[in-house]
Amino acid sequence: MLRNGAADPAPRIALLGNFSGLLALDPAPAVFAVDMPIGLAGRSGLGGRGPERHVRRHLGARQSSVFSLPARASVMCEDYREACRVALATSEPPRKVSKQAFNLFPKIREIDALMTPELEARVYEVHPELGFWRLNGGTEMSLPKKIRNEGSMPGIEQRQALLECHGFPASFWRQPRPSGVGADDLVDAAVNAVIAERIWKGEAQAFPHDFERDAKGLRMAIWA
């Protein structure tokens, strides 16, 4: 989802195949809001990294949307059993890797390979449900947008209505979506775009505020 600020306020959809394609956009957005973990801990505590633990406390019934990320060494494993073995050795208390998290490891590795502390001036980690919490006055959304891994229209429409208060016209949801992009994916991308604009304006905050940095010097924080 691209929004180019006051000079070009109309949001538009661009489907890119990888993170390098995002960084190569021309003209480049001032802020990239990325719904993927950035910054990988050497060891994982109860509930994952600090960012995951800090945002869950705000999300109530929606906190299950925040998965626990294991340590860097586990994320670098390409075999599920090996990832679980490494995760058990690098977590306290010992914990294996969920299949949901493991399926995201290739994308996390791709981002980690390209991220640098210098890119942090433009690239920020976000989470859609924390973004909705922020736009909803510090209250989690009352309805889920997915039930049993399927999009749930009552929850999606609830989020669409909230986003219409933040610059997304009702007609935006009626346009054709790229193949493979669900209605829930679109509202997630839209709220991330709003949070990117908040970051650009200096209105967003990091969770946690006193974030730590990983072995590469990358901050571990989710913004909203």
Side-chain angles (χ1 to χ4, degrees), residues 26-161:
D26 186 18
V31 172
F32 297 101
V34 179
D35 177 20
M36 292 292 286
I38 299 174
L40 306 176
R43 293 189 64 84
S44 177
L46 182 64
R49 305 175 303 161
E52 287 100 57
R53 296 194 299 271
H54 277 76
V55 303
R56 284 195 193 98
R57 66 186 64 172
H58 298 294
L59 298 184
R62 307 281 80 79
Q63 64 181 280
S64 62
S65 64
V66 182
F67 68 85
S68 297
L69 191 70
R72 172 181 288 278
S74 177
V75 175
M76 294 301 146
C77 296
E78 298 184 11
D79 176 79
Y80 178 66
R81 291 184 179 179
E82 179 67 6
C84 286
R85 184 191 69 77
V86 173
L88 284 170
T90 55
S91 58
E92 183 60 44
R95 177 173 176 161
K96 293 183 179 180
V97 179
S98 71
K99 274 294 182 71
Q100 179 187 18
F102 179 77
N103 290 338
L104 295 176
F105 283 5
K107 287 293 185 183
I108 298 173
R109 291 194 294 266
E110 177 194 357
I111 293 171
D112 183 70
L114 294 172
M115 273 299 299
T116 65
E118 291 73 26
L119 274 175
E120 289 181 347
R122 293 191 297 145
V123 180
Y124 295 77
E125 179 182 346
V126 298
H127 189 282
E129 289 305 315
L130 187 67
F132 285 119
W133 167 86
R134 172 66 75 196
L135 301 188
N136 198 38
T139 301
E140 76 273 13
M141 304 303 286
S142 62
L143 300 174
K145 64 177 179 287
K146 295 187 79 170
I147 297 177
R148 298 186 183 89
N149 293 322
E150 296 290 335
S152 174
M153 286 312 298
I156 291 169
E157 290 170 353
Q158 182 187 54
R159 288 161 177 77
Q160 290 173 346

Side-chain angles (χ1 to χ4, degrees), residues 3 11 132 134-137 141 156-173 190-191 194 197-198 201 203:
R3 297 183 76 183
F132 285 119
R134 172 66 75 196
L135 301 188
N136 198 38
M141 304 303 286
I156 291 169
E157 290 170 353
Q158 182 187 54
R159 288 161 177 77
Q160 290 173 346
L162 179 59
L163 286 162
E164 287 167 21
C165 299
H166 292 272
F168 282 85
S171 59
F172 182 81
W173 316 115
V191 74
V194 175
E197 191 170 43
R198 286 179 53 85
K201 292 178 177 179
E203 298 172 351

